[in-house]
């Protein structure tokens, strides 16, 4: 599979056509992020894994689906400049936000970070940061030749999961 929009255009068409296909394909990894993480980590229990595992799963899914981080950056760049294309990527981000919010709410309760009453508010507070941490990982993987995924994920663990 091609690693940039130029090659993808040659094979498949315009930014909107290529980006729409990629956005849909990336979103189709599963019904929601928490279910993907549970399935992919191979756990028999129904425990929600830590947020760093959610970011790890997103990165692993992109690898598994052969979606290079540079292509994601190009799609985001196109979305920033093209309102019609932004509408496509906005739908993908909205679906991810909804799934991540449910995931984080459940994790907050199960981990003791928040009570059942407080967890939805806690999840909404940290949600933009968790999404930004995922975007940061994708950006750094695309731009920094010495990007260290495990070190990055360890930083997420320290930030979000330490008492």
């Amino acid at each position: 599979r091609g690693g940039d929009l130029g090659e993808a255009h040659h094979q498949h068409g315009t930014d909107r056509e290529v980006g729409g296909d990629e956005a849909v394909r990336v979103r189709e990894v599963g019904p929601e992020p928490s279910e993907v993480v549970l399935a992919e980590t191979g756990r028999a229990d129904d425990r929600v894994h830590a947020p760093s595992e959610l970011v790890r799963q997103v990165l692993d899914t992109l690898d598994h689906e052969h979606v290079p981080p540079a292509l994601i950056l190009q799609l985001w760049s196109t979305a920033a400049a093209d309102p019609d294309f932004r509408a496509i990527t906005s739908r993908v981000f909205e679906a991810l936000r909804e799934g991540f919010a449910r995931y984080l709410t459940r994790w907050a309760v199960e981990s003791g970070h928040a009570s059942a009453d407080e967890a939805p508010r806690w999840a909404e507070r940290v949600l933009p940061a968790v999404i930004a941490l995922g975007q940061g990982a994708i950006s750094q993987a695309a731009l920094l030749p010495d990007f260290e995924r495990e070190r990055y994920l360890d930083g997420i663990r320290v930030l979000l999961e330490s008492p």
Side-chain angles (χ1 to χ4, degrees), residues 2 18 41 56 61 72 75 87 89 92 106-107 110 112 125 155 163:
V18 171
T41 56
R56 175 189 303 280
T61 299
I72 299 296
L75 293 171
T89 57
V92 172
R106 185 170 168 206
W107 180 80
E110 290 185 14
R125 286 179 61 204

Side-chain angles (χ1 to χ4, degrees), residues 152-163:
Y152 190 93
L153 293 170
D154 185 55
I156 294 173
R157 279 189 289 278
V158 170
L159 285 171
L160 292 179
E161 299 156 25
S162 298

